[in-house]
Amino acid sequence: MENSVAYEKATELRLGLPGIDEPAVLSSVKNNKRPLHDEKSGENGKSAQNETAPPSKAQIVGWPPVQSYRKNNFQQAKKSESECGGIYVKVSMDGAPYLRKIDLKVYKGYPELLQVLENMFKFTIGEYSEREGYKGSDYEPTYEDKDGDWMLVGDVPWEMFITSCKRLRIMKGSEARGLSCSGV
Amino acid sequence: MQKKTAYSFPDEILEHVFSFIQSGKDRNAASVVCKSWYEIERWCRRKIFVGNCYAVSPTMVIRRFPDIRSIELKGKPHFADFNLVPDGWGGYVLPWISEMAGAYPWLEEIRLKRMVVTDESLELVAKSFTNLQVLVLFSCEGFSTDGLAAIAASCKNLRELDLRDSEVDDLSGHWLNHFPDTYTSLVSLNISCLGSDDVSFSALERLVGRCPNLRRLLLNREVPLDKIANLLSRAPQLIEFGTGTYAAELRSDVYSNLAEAFCNCKELKCLSGFWDAVPAYLPVIYSVCSRLTSLNLSYAPIQNPDLTKLVSQCPSLQRMLVLDYIEDSGLEVLASSCKDLQELRVFPSDPFGEEPNVSLTEKGLVAVSSGCPKLQSVLYFCRQMSNAALVTIAQNCPNFTRFRLCLLDPKIADYRTLQPLDVGFGAIVEHCKDLRRLSLSGLLTDRVFEYIGMHAKKLEMLSVAFAGESDLALHHVLSGCESLRKLEIMNCPFGDKALLANAAKLETMRSLWMSSCSVSLGACKMLGQKMPRLNIEVMDEKGPPDSRAESDPVDKLYIYRSVAGPRFDMPPFVWTMDEDFASELS
């Protein structure tokens, strides 16, 4: 991905004065996650909002230091859907004592999303089939939709999924299998 | 049995004397005078502050202080506010509640900041502490309105419920109904963070109506403007009030009702809320303005001249929070009208915009520093700064205790001379001898850190981003700032040398945060082995550190002193570097 090159450049830490273009002194750590640190482009590179889908501008996580509740609460003149707001949903996994949050807008489809979930919670999802759901693993990714129903991830087209998904839950065991049998 | 000499006081007298010592610091000092003072003090300590919930365990606290009535706990590091701490990091309050449930049945006050509070925790609080009077959840998360319902139903003596800036899951709007009809003790209620379905307005009205001691009421955004008048008329004794959304179609009946309601609140001193505020309804608060000591317009999109006109009517202001819509011109008016001003916070209306959308520069801050002799605390977001301005500000305000400057472009130079801003910040620390908190930004070399180490002797908290050139900078701070308690650093070229050379200093501080710096894994391991009273936590979402070279820089590093040893509730992306680290992974 082109982005990983930009990422590697950005995490190169320099010992010279900021703004001077010197060769990298330290190598960056390899990363296969979506880029969070991009170098500021030019002298007037500005940071973009953490929570927006990445525009062509650079973004710096944590700068400017505006608190999340303030960012959430204060709305500027409404921008178009494509510019503003990622789709943030909470992700929980049965048995894990913590919750994570992800931005569904960032992913292009189910394979990418599932890969991310696997990395996040350190488990494997089985093979998906429309009739039988996820086979080959004790875990099944599910989500709560706008109507409050719990559905199996993958049952509806991706675009429909990201607009209707309220939260994700990686279920374990037989409870999960119950969902996959409730076919259309 | 203790041998009493002619020179020792009976325990009861000492205990009585100690009861006049309220500050935790003073109590801590008294407790180390001698063993008997330690013993007496620990039995009569009623209030405890734990700045880092992982620095000590609940068991240890309970063992030492058997009869606590008021506890304050803080969890996540400050940079969690800016999304630098991933979800799941920690800061769970449940272990504390579980242990205190048995040990402190008479607990009256619980104050939590940046902690994860589940409904289970809240239910346990409701069940265990029947005498609970104060519950403050400041920037907390993890709970829903179900947990709040449990509190409402059980805590008959609750005076203060403050959910400031917390993230609450909206499940049901009717939790307020769980306050029984017989409940009348509410004094302070802050629900400004709640979402749309969370508040049943009629329940709120009834609650407000039956609590004659209610002095502080901060509503959430969803309460419409036309309901405010009715609410205020039930609570004319309010001292502090936060509106909901401050926008509505202009209607003369709504307008006059509001004006009358505000006018009848003769003790109102603090106003906030004002989401989506429209200028048309601003004059309804004019009758209150002359009395206002605190005004928070930081969610109000109103611009000049309306904004400045409002400000000019508030000569008693001590605390002002506002968006940069106020511009330099508005700040000049503030400077000439509000001679009692102590605290100013100016937030960016468009922090990620390419071009400036308002005319707010260093001039506004200079004006306020010149016009307001009592100014002590500043948080200022702007787009340009000069050394000359900072020097002037420093000379005008030698009494600063908190100075936080945030330049939206983090490495921007002095716009007039194109020099780094070292000299300007140097002047701040040199002139402001009582400075306790400082946030830097702009183009900064190692120089500024030399000044800080040399002058900032009372500095307790320092926030640094995109600054400095070498480890020398970090060394200046760690070796020079005698009072330093919290240091948080992001995106600076600081590596191992300064950290290792000043390892002992870290035990005198609460915590150190370093993210996107150059501290190597090897150095972290070394610190972990050599400093058993520090927890060295490496945070990396890319994978365990064992798979990488010793010289590789760690992504995020959080070091804090602790007498409780390493914690065990870490998520998969946090590793503690201690003596066992190497063997754990084999």
Side-chain angles (χ1 to χ4, degrees), chain A residues 13-15 17-18 40 46 48-49 65 67-70 73 76 98-101, chain B residues 81-82 87 165 167 221 298-299 349-350 352 354 406 409 411 469 493 517 541-542 572:
Chain A
L13 296 155
R14 297 152 187 219
L15 297 185
L17 273 174
K40 292 191 318 176
K46 300 276 188 274
Q49 194 170 359
Q67 286 159 310
S68 346
Y69 69 85
R70 206 166 266 287
N73 276 304
Q76 265 289 50
Y98 55 91
L99 289 180
R100 303 298 299 275
K101 243 190 220 159
Chain B
D81 286 354
F82 314 128
D87 279 351
D165 304 336
E167 220 179 283
R221 190 178 195 166
S298 62
Y299 295 107
S349 54
D350 187 17
F352 308 104
E354 276 282 296
C406 177
D409 181 348
K411 290 201 279 208
E469 309 153 279
C517 298
E541 294 183 272
K542 295 182 276 293

mmCIF file of all heavy atoms in Angstrom, chain A residues 13-15 17-18 40 46 48-49 65 67-70 73 76 98-101, chain B residues 81-82 87 165 167 221 298-299 349-350 352 354 406 409 411 469 493 517 541-542 572:
data_model
loop_
_atom_site.group_PDB
_atom_site.id
_atom_site.type_symbol
_atom_site.label_atom_id
_atom_site.label_comp_id
_atom_site.label_asym_id
_atom_site.label_seq_id
_atom_site.Cartn_x
_atom_site.Cartn_y
_atom_site.Cartn_z
ATOM 1 N N LEU A 13 12.464 9.097 13.179
ATOM 2 C CA LEU A 13 12.673 10.170 14.145
ATOM 3 C C LEU A 13 14.011 10.817 13.874
ATOM 4 O O LEU A 13 15.018 10.128 13.737
ATOM 5 C CB LEU A 13 12.617 9.584 15.553
ATOM 6 C CG LEU A 13 11.218 9.032 15.818
ATOM 7 C CD1 LEU A 13 11.263 7.952 16.875
ATOM 8 C CD2 LEU A 13 10.289 10.144 16.242
ATOM 9 N N ARG A 14 13.990 12.096 13.748
ATOM 10 C CA ARG A 14 15.216 12.783 13.364
ATOM 11 C C ARG A 14 15.818 13.489 14.547
ATOM 12 O O ARG A 14 15.114 13.950 15.423
ATOM 13 C CB ARG A 14 14.896 13.832 12.306
ATOM 14 C CG ARG A 14 14.368 13.182 11.072
ATOM 15 C CD ARG A 14 13.452 14.102 10.344
ATOM 16 N NE ARG A 14 12.827 13.386 9.258
ATOM 17 C CZ ARG A 14 12.619 13.926 8.087
ATOM 18 N NH1 ARG A 14 12.977 15.168 7.881
ATOM 19 N NH2 ARG A 14 12.026 13.256 7.142
ATOM 20 N N LEU A 15 17.154 13.631 14.510
ATOM 21 C CA LEU A 15 17.816 14.341 15.592
ATOM 22 C C LEU A 15 18.189 15.754 15.194
ATOM 23 O O LEU A 15 18.797 16.482 15.955
ATOM 24 C CB LEU A 15 19.065 13.575 16.046
ATOM 25 C CG LEU A 15 18.743 12.204 16.632
ATOM 26 C CD1 LEU A 15 19.982 11.550 17.180
ATOM 27 C CD2 LEU A 15 17.709 12.330 17.747
ATOM 28 N N LEU A 17 17.108 19.696 13.608
ATOM 29 C CA LEU A 17 16.018 20.631 13.868
ATOM 30 C C LEU A 17 14.810 20.203 13.060
ATOM 31 O O LEU A 17 14.947 19.736 11.940
ATOM 32 C CB LEU A 17 16.404 22.043 13.442
ATOM 33 C CG LEU A 17 17.133 22.887 14.473
ATOM 34 C CD1 LEU A 17 17.568 24.186 13.847
ATOM 35 C CD2 LEU A 17 16.256 23.146 15.681
ATOM 36 N N PRO A 18 13.650 20.387 13.635
ATOM 37 C CA PRO A 18 12.457 20.025 12.883
ATOM 38 C C PRO A 18 12.378 20.841 11.604
ATOM 39 O O PRO A 18 12.779 21.984 11.582
ATOM 40 C CB PRO A 18 11.305 20.406 13.814
ATOM 41 C CG PRO A 18 11.920 20.660 15.127
ATOM 42 C CD PRO A 18 13.367 20.922 14.947
ATOM 43 N N LYS A 40 3.560 15.497 8.003
ATOM 44 C CA LYS A 40 2.936 16.736 7.539
ATOM 45 C C LYS A 40 3.501 17.062 6.173
ATOM 46 O O LYS A 40 4.702 17.017 5.967
ATOM 47 C CB LYS A 40 3.268 17.877 8.486
ATOM 48 C CG LYS A 40 2.644 17.739 9.828
ATOM 49 C CD LYS A 40 2.791 19.002 10.628
ATOM 50 C CE LYS A 40 4.163 19.583 10.474
ATOM 51 N NZ LYS A 40 4.259 20.855 11.166
ATOM 52 N N LYS A 46 -1.235 20.697 7.786
ATOM 53 C CA LYS A 46 -2.056 20.818 8.980
ATOM 54 C C LYS A 46 -2.533 19.439 9.382
ATOM 55 O O LYS A 46 -2.639 18.547 8.566
ATOM 56 C CB LYS A 46 -3.264 21.704 8.715
ATOM 57 C CG LYS A 46 -2.913 23.105 8.297
ATOM 58 C CD LYS A 46 -2.654 23.957 9.522
ATOM 59 C CE LYS A 46 -2.485 25.413 9.179
ATOM 60 N NZ LYS A 46 -1.158 25.798 8.806
ATOM 61 N N ALA A 48 -5.340 16.830 10.415
ATOM 62 C CA ALA A 48 -6.782 16.673 10.177
ATOM 63 C C ALA A 48 -7.398 15.958 11.368
ATOM 64 O O ALA A 48 -6.720 15.353 12.160
ATOM 65 C CB ALA A 48 -7.020 15.883 8.900
ATOM 66 N N GLN A 49 -8.679 16.037 11.459
ATOM 67 C CA GLN A 49 -9.386 15.448 12.594
ATOM 68 C C GLN A 49 -9.122 13.951 12.658
ATOM 69 O O GLN A 49 -9.207 13.253 11.660
ATOM 70 C CB GLN A 49 -10.865 15.702 12.408
ATOM 71 C CG GLN A 49 -11.680 15.445 13.638
ATOM 72 C CD GLN A 49 -13.104 15.934 13.474
ATOM 73 O OE1 GLN A 49 -13.431 16.479 12.444
ATOM 74 N NE2 GLN A 49 -13.937 15.732 14.456
ATOM 75 N N PRO A 65 -4.426 19.085 20.594
ATOM 76 C CA PRO A 65 -4.988 18.359 21.731
ATOM 77 C C PRO A 65 -6.359 18.889 22.140
ATOM 78 O O PRO A 65 -6.517 19.591 23.124
ATOM 79 C CB PRO A 65 -3.952 18.597 22.835
ATOM 80 C CG PRO A 65 -3.286 19.877 22.473
ATOM 81 C CD PRO A 65 -3.317 19.981 20.994
ATOM 82 N N GLN A 67 -10.028 17.699 23.340
ATOM 83 C CA GLN A 67 -10.589 16.496 23.945
ATOM 84 C C GLN A 67 -11.730 15.924 23.127
ATOM 85 O O GLN A 67 -12.481 16.649 22.482
ATOM 86 C CB GLN A 67 -11.075 16.811 25.357
ATOM 87 C CG GLN A 67 -9.905 16.965 26.292
ATOM 88 C CD GLN A 67 -10.260 17.748 27.529
ATOM 89 O OE1 GLN A 67 -10.823 18.816 27.452
ATOM 90 N NE2 GLN A 67 -9.932 17.193 28.670
ATOM 91 N N SER A 68 -11.846 14.599 23.149
ATOM 92 C CA SER A 68 -12.823 13.907 22.306
ATOM 93 C C SER A 68 -14.232 14.416 22.521
ATOM 94 O O SER A 68 -14.974 14.627 21.575
ATOM 95 C CB SER A 68 -12.817 12.404 22.572
ATOM 96 O OG SER A 68 -11.700 12.027 23.294
ATOM 97 N N TYR A 69 -14.624 14.651 23.783
ATOM 98 C CA TYR A 69 -16.001 15.074 24.010
ATOM 99 C C TYR A 69 -16.235 16.434 23.381
ATOM 100 O O TYR A 69 -17.323 16.768 22.934
ATOM 101 C CB TYR A 69 -16.334 15.101 25.506
ATOM 102 C CG TYR A 69 -15.630 16.186 26.276
ATOM 103 C CD1 TYR A 69 -16.150 17.472 26.348
ATOM 104 C CD2 TYR A 69 -14.437 15.918 26.934
ATOM 105 C CE1 TYR A 69 -15.504 18.465 27.043
ATOM 106 C CE2 TYR A 69 -13.785 16.907 27.637
ATOM 107 C CZ TYR A 69 -14.319 18.183 27.694
ATOM 108 O OH TYR A 69 -13.665 19.161 28.397
ATOM 109 N N ARG A 70 -15.184 17.233 23.325
ATOM 110 C CA ARG A 70 -15.323 18.558 22.730
ATOM 111 C C ARG A 70 -15.461 18.435 21.216
ATOM 112 O O ARG A 70 -16.252 19.116 20.594
ATOM 113 C CB ARG A 70 -14.098 19.407 23.092
ATOM 114 C CG ARG A 70 -14.345 20.870 23.088
ATOM 115 C CD ARG A 70 -13.208 21.601 23.771
ATOM 116 N NE ARG A 70 -13.466 21.843 25.179
ATOM 117 C CZ ARG A 70 -14.333 22.735 25.632
ATOM 118 N NH1 ARG A 70 -15.021 23.473 24.807
ATOM 119 N NH2 ARG A 70 -14.508 22.883 26.923
ATOM 120 N N ASN A 73 -18.897 17.079 20.565
ATOM 121 C CA ASN A 73 -20.008 17.942 20.914
ATOM 122 C C ASN A 73 -20.133 19.165 20.046
ATOM 123 O O ASN A 73 -21.225 19.613 19.774
ATOM 124 C CB ASN A 73 -19.872 18.396 22.373
ATOM 125 C CG ASN A 73 -20.441 17.366 23.309
ATOM 126 O OD1 ASN A 73 -21.587 16.983 23.187
ATOM 127 N ND2 ASN A 73 -19.630 16.906 24.221
ATOM 128 N N GLN A 76 -19.097 21.889 13.641
ATOM 129 C CA GLN A 76 -18.926 22.997 12.714
ATOM 130 C C GLN A 76 -20.068 22.970 11.711
ATOM 131 O O GLN A 76 -20.908 22.104 11.756
ATOM 132 C CB GLN A 76 -17.605 22.815 11.963
ATOM 133 C CG GLN A 76 -16.446 23.553 12.572
ATOM 134 C CD GLN A 76 -16.563 25.050 12.386
ATOM 135 O OE1 GLN A 76 -17.601 25.652 12.672
ATOM 136 N NE2 GLN A 76 -15.524 25.674 11.898
ATOM 137 N N TYR A 98 -12.201 -6.273 28.011
ATOM 138 C CA TYR A 98 -12.082 -4.914 27.518
ATOM 139 C C TYR A 98 -12.856 -4.746 26.214
ATOM 140 O O TYR A 98 -13.159 -5.694 25.516
ATOM 141 C CB TYR A 98 -10.610 -4.557 27.289
ATOM 142 C CG TYR A 98 -9.891 -5.507 26.371
ATOM 143 C CD1 TYR A 98 -9.841 -5.281 25.008
ATOM 144 C CD2 TYR A 98 -9.271 -6.646 26.862
ATOM 145 C CE1 TYR A 98 -9.207 -6.159 24.161
ATOM 146 C CE2 TYR A 98 -8.625 -7.525 26.023
ATOM 147 C CZ TYR A 98 -8.596 -7.281 24.674
ATOM 148 O OH TYR A 98 -7.954 -8.150 23.848
ATOM 149 N N LEU A 99 -13.159 -3.504 25.929
ATOM 150 C CA LEU A 99 -13.866 -3.176 24.689
ATOM 151 C C LEU A 99 -12.912 -2.442 23.757
ATOM 152 O O LEU A 99 -12.020 -1.753 24.207
ATOM 153 C CB LEU A 99 -15.027 -2.234 24.985
ATOM 154 C CG LEU A 99 -16.244 -2.780 25.731
ATOM 155 C CD1 LEU A 99 -17.254 -1.663 25.898
ATOM 156 C CD2 LEU A 99 -16.865 -3.914 24.963
ATOM 157 N N ARG A 100 -13.136 -2.590 22.477
ATOM 158 C CA ARG A 100 -12.386 -1.782 21.531
ATOM 159 C C ARG A 100 -13.368 -1.006 20.679
ATOM 160 O O ARG A 100 -14.558 -1.280 20.666
ATOM 161 C CB ARG A 100 -11.506 -2.677 20.638
ATOM 162 C CG ARG A 100 -10.537 -3.553 21.380
ATOM 163 C CD ARG A 100 -9.542 -2.740 22.173
ATOM 164 N NE ARG A 100 -8.726 -1.864 21.365
ATOM 165 C CZ ARG A 100 -7.603 -2.239 20.756
ATOM 166 N NH1 ARG A 100 -7.174 -3.478 20.860
ATOM 167 N NH2 ARG A 100 -6.906 -1.365 20.062
ATOM 168 N N LYS A 101 -12.815 -0.006 19.995
ATOM 169 C CA LYS A 101 -13.662 0.783 19.093
ATOM 170 C C LYS A 101 -13.012 0.798 17.724
ATOM 171 O O LYS A 101 -11.793 0.975 17.630
ATOM 172 C CB LYS A 101 -13.716 2.225 19.599
ATOM 173 C CG LYS A 101 -15.091 2.679 20.001
ATOM 174 C CD LYS A 101 -15.098 4.168 20.243
ATOM 175 C CE LYS A 101 -15.949 4.460 21.455
ATOM 176 N NZ LYS A 101 -15.682 5.706 22.078
ATOM 177 N N ASP B 81 -7.198 11.651 26.793
ATOM 178 C CA ASP B 81 -8.177 12.642 26.332
ATOM 179 C C ASP B 81 -8.035 12.920 24.841
ATOM 180 O O ASP B 81 -8.966 13.405 24.207
ATOM 181 C CB ASP B 81 -7.988 13.978 27.070
ATOM 182 C CG ASP B 81 -8.476 13.913 28.503
ATOM 183 O OD1 ASP B 81 -9.062 12.890 28.911
ATOM 184 O OD2 ASP B 81 -8.256 14.897 29.231
ATOM 185 N N PHE B 82 -6.848 12.680 24.299
ATOM 186 C CA PHE B 82 -6.598 13.003 22.901
ATOM 187 C C PHE B 82 -6.439 11.737 22.069
ATOM 188 O O PHE B 82 -5.716 11.718 21.078
ATOM 189 C CB PHE B 82 -5.361 13.902 22.780
ATOM 190 C CG PHE B 82 -5.356 15.026 23.782
ATOM 191 C CD1 PHE B 82 -4.255 15.234 24.598
ATOM 192 C CD2 PHE B 82 -6.456 15.848 23.936
ATOM 193 C CE1 PHE B 82 -4.246 16.259 25.541
ATOM 194 C CE2 PHE B 82 -6.473 16.871 24.873
ATOM 195 C CZ PHE B 82 -5.363 17.077 25.677
ATOM 196 N N ASP B 87 -8.497 1.912 23.553
ATOM 197 C CA ASP B 87 -9.535 1.323 24.398
ATOM 198 C C ASP B 87 -9.055 0.024 25.007
ATOM 199 O O ASP B 87 -8.366 -0.755 24.377
ATOM 200 C CB ASP B 87 -10.760 0.993 23.546
ATOM 201 C CG ASP B 87 -11.599 2.238 23.318
ATOM 202 O OD1 ASP B 87 -11.320 3.264 23.956
ATOM 203 O OD2 ASP B 87 -12.515 2.171 22.490
ATOM 204 N N ASP B 165 -18.293 15.100 31.361
ATOM 205 C CA ASP B 165 -17.520 14.625 30.215
ATOM 206 C C ASP B 165 -17.404 13.114 30.115
ATOM 207 O O ASP B 165 -16.482 12.613 29.464
ATOM 208 C CB ASP B 165 -16.095 15.201 30.235
ATOM 209 C CG ASP B 165 -16.097 16.706 30.271
ATOM 210 O OD1 ASP B 165 -17.107 17.307 29.839
ATOM 211 O OD2 ASP B 165 -15.111 17.286 30.723
ATOM 212 N N GLU B 167 -18.622 9.195 29.082
ATOM 213 C CA GLU B 167 -19.260 8.578 27.921
ATOM 214 C C GLU B 167 -20.241 7.546 28.449
ATOM 215 O O GLU B 167 -19.842 6.537 29.019
ATOM 216 C CB GLU B 167 -18.182 7.865 27.121
ATOM 217 C CG GLU B 167 -18.320 8.011 25.633
ATOM 218 C CD GLU B 167 -17.183 7.299 24.918
ATOM 219 O OE1 GLU B 167 -16.081 7.862 24.902
ATOM 220 O OE2 GLU B 167 -17.412 6.179 24.433
ATOM 221 N N ARG B 221 -27.514 18.538 26.142
ATOM 222 C CA ARG B 221 -27.808 19.294 24.922
ATOM 223 C C ARG B 221 -29.240 19.138 24.445
ATOM 224 O O ARG B 221 -29.816 20.037 23.842
ATOM 225 C CB ARG B 221 -26.858 18.809 23.839
ATOM 226 C CG ARG B 221 -26.869 19.639 22.594
ATOM 227 C CD ARG B 221 -25.855 19.073 21.623
ATOM 228 N NE ARG B 221 -25.563 20.018 20.551
ATOM 229 C CZ ARG B 221 -24.538 19.902 19.742
ATOM 230 N NH1 ARG B 221 -23.693 18.902 19.898
ATOM 231 N NH2 ARG B 221 -24.339 20.776 18.793
ATOM 232 N N SER B 298 -17.955 27.859 25.476
ATOM 233 C CA SER B 298 -17.070 27.131 24.566
ATOM 234 C C SER B 298 -17.797 26.157 23.655
ATOM 235 O O SER B 298 -17.185 25.508 22.822
ATOM 236 C CB SER B 298 -15.977 26.411 25.351
ATOM 237 O OG SER B 298 -16.554 25.458 26.211
ATOM 238 N N TYR B 299 -19.106 26.048 23.812
ATOM 239 C CA TYR B 299 -19.874 25.258 22.854
ATOM 240 C C TYR B 299 -20.793 26.144 22.018
ATOM 241 O O TYR B 299 -21.611 25.666 21.250
ATOM 242 C CB TYR B 299 -20.718 24.205 23.582
ATOM 243 C CG TYR B 299 -19.868 23.184 24.289
ATOM 244 C CD1 TYR B 299 -19.752 23.187 25.671
ATOM 245 C CD2 TYR B 299 -19.160 22.230 23.579
ATOM 246 C CE1 TYR B 299 -18.956 22.261 26.323
ATOM 247 C CE2 TYR B 299 -18.364 21.304 24.220
ATOM 248 C CZ TYR B 299 -18.264 21.324 25.591
ATOM 249 O OH TYR B 299 -17.478 20.418 26.224
ATOM 250 N N SER B 349 -12.388 26.898 17.052
ATOM 251 C CA SER B 349 -13.674 26.541 16.442
ATOM 252 C C SER B 349 -13.476 25.631 15.240
ATOM 253 O O SER B 349 -14.363 24.879 14.860
ATOM 254 C CB SER B 349 -14.407 27.811 16.009
ATOM 255 O OG SER B 349 -13.559 28.587 15.178
ATOM 256 N N ASP B 350 -12.290 25.696 14.652
ATOM 257 C CA ASP B 350 -12.024 24.870 13.486
ATOM 258 C C ASP B 350 -10.589 24.358 13.564
ATOM 259 O O ASP B 350 -9.726 24.791 12.806
ATOM 260 C CB ASP B 350 -12.247 25.699 12.216
ATOM 261 C CG ASP B 350 -12.158 24.857 10.960
ATOM 262 O OD1 ASP B 350 -12.254 23.612 11.063
ATOM 263 O OD2 ASP B 350 -11.984 25.435 9.868
ATOM 264 N N PHE B 352 -8.992 21.792 12.688
ATOM 265 C CA PHE B 352 -8.316 21.073 11.622
ATOM 266 C C PHE B 352 -8.417 21.791 10.291
ATOM 267 O O PHE B 352 -8.070 21.255 9.258
ATOM 268 C CB PHE B 352 -8.896 19.655 11.511
ATOM 269 C CG PHE B 352 -8.889 18.962 12.837
ATOM 270 C CD1 PHE B 352 -10.067 18.817 13.569
ATOM 271 C CD2 PHE B 352 -7.710 18.505 13.393
ATOM 272 C CE1 PHE B 352 -10.056 18.197 14.814
ATOM 273 C CE2 PHE B 352 -7.697 17.882 14.632
ATOM 274 C CZ PHE B 352 -8.873 17.735 15.342
ATOM 275 N N GLU B 354 -7.656 24.315 7.277
ATOM 276 C CA GLU B 354 -6.406 24.704 6.623
ATOM 277 C C GLU B 354 -6.039 26.143 6.932
ATOM 278 O O GLU B 354 -4.930 26.467 7.302
ATOM 279 C CB GLU B 354 -6.597 24.563 5.098
ATOM 280 C CG GLU B 354 -6.379 23.164 4.605
ATOM 281 C CD GLU B 354 -4.891 22.873 4.516
ATOM 282 O OE1 GLU B 354 -4.218 23.531 3.720
ATOM 283 O OE2 GLU B 354 -4.415 22.022 5.273
ATOM 284 N N CYS B 406 -1.389 26.342 22.831
ATOM 285 C CA CYS B 406 -1.443 25.328 21.807
ATOM 286 C C CYS B 406 -1.501 25.982 20.435
ATOM 287 O O CYS B 406 -2.533 26.537 20.064
ATOM 288 C CB CYS B 406 -2.650 24.440 22.029
ATOM 289 S SG CYS B 406 -2.789 23.231 20.746
ATOM 290 N N ASP B 409 -0.505 24.575 14.417
ATOM 291 C CA ASP B 409 0.574 23.929 13.688
ATOM 292 C C ASP B 409 1.694 23.709 14.698
ATOM 293 O O ASP B 409 2.336 24.658 15.127
ATOM 294 C CB ASP B 409 1.042 24.846 12.556
ATOM 295 C CG ASP B 409 2.152 24.218 11.753
ATOM 296 O OD1 ASP B 409 2.722 23.194 12.185
ATOM 297 O OD2 ASP B 409 2.466 24.765 10.679
ATOM 298 N N LYS B 411 4.733 22.875 14.985
ATOM 299 C CA LYS B 411 6.146 23.237 14.907
ATOM 300 C C LYS B 411 6.345 24.616 14.286
ATOM 301 O O LYS B 411 7.342 24.882 13.653
ATOM 302 C CB LYS B 411 6.917 22.172 14.107
ATOM 303 C CG LYS B 411 7.009 20.856 14.887
ATOM 304 C CD LYS B 411 8.126 19.970 14.409
ATOM 305 C CE LYS B 411 7.753 19.200 13.181
ATOM 306 N NZ LYS B 411 8.482 17.922 13.065
ATOM 307 N N GLU B 469 15.592 18.714 20.324
ATOM 308 C CA GLU B 469 16.429 18.117 19.275
ATOM 309 C C GLU B 469 17.185 16.903 19.762
ATOM 310 O O GLU B 469 17.639 16.099 18.961
ATOM 311 C CB GLU B 469 17.477 19.135 18.816
ATOM 312 C CG GLU B 469 16.900 20.483 18.443
ATOM 313 C CD GLU B 469 17.916 21.579 18.648
ATOM 314 O OE1 GLU B 469 18.097 22.045 19.794
ATOM 315 O OE2 GLU B 469 18.558 21.950 17.654
ATOM 316 N N PRO B 493 12.287 13.830 19.716
ATOM 317 C CA PRO B 493 13.427 12.950 19.450
ATOM 318 C C PRO B 493 14.218 12.609 20.714
ATOM 319 O O PRO B 493 15.440 12.773 20.741
ATOM 320 C CB PRO B 493 14.268 13.767 18.471
ATOM 321 C CG PRO B 493 13.978 15.182 18.843
ATOM 322 C CD PRO B 493 12.552 15.225 19.282
ATOM 323 N N CYS B 517 8.415 8.635 20.441
ATOM 324 C CA CYS B 517 9.760 9.139 20.700
ATOM 325 C C CYS B 517 10.767 8.064 20.289
ATOM 326 O O CYS B 517 10.424 7.160 19.552
ATOM 327 C CB CYS B 517 9.892 9.523 22.174
ATOM 328 S SG CYS B 517 8.779 10.853 22.678
ATOM 329 N N GLU B 541 0.428 -1.716 19.591
ATOM 330 C CA GLU B 541 -0.667 -2.499 19.023
ATOM 331 C C GLU B 541 -0.206 -3.393 17.889
ATOM 332 O O GLU B 541 -0.990 -4.165 17.357
ATOM 333 C CB GLU B 541 -1.775 -1.556 18.566
ATOM 334 C CG GLU B 541 -2.414 -0.857 19.750
ATOM 335 C CD GLU B 541 -3.561 0.042 19.367
ATOM 336 O OE1 GLU B 541 -3.297 1.220 19.060
ATOM 337 O OE2 GLU B 541 -4.705 -0.425 19.354
ATOM 338 N N LYS B 542 1.074 -3.277 17.506
ATOM 339 C CA LYS B 542 1.537 -4.060 16.353
ATOM 340 C C LYS B 542 1.969 -5.460 16.746
ATOM 341 O O LYS B 542 2.114 -6.329 15.921
ATOM 342 C CB LYS B 542 2.689 -3.340 15.670
ATOM 343 C CG LYS B 542 2.249 -2.008 15.070
ATOM 344 C CD LYS B 542 3.379 -1.313 14.349
ATOM 345 C CE LYS B 542 4.237 -0.514 15.299
ATOM 346 N NZ LYS B 542 3.512 0.634 15.882
ATOM 347 N N PRO B 572 -3.922 -7.059 25.631
ATOM 348 C CA PRO B 572 -2.844 -7.721 24.884
ATOM 349 C C PRO B 572 -1.790 -6.767 24.341
ATOM 350 O O PRO B 572 -0.689 -7.184 24.031
ATOM 351 C CB PRO B 572 -3.554 -8.408 23.720
ATOM 352 C CG PRO B 572 -4.978 -8.444 24.061
ATOM 353 C CD PRO B 572 -5.243 -7.387 25.076
#
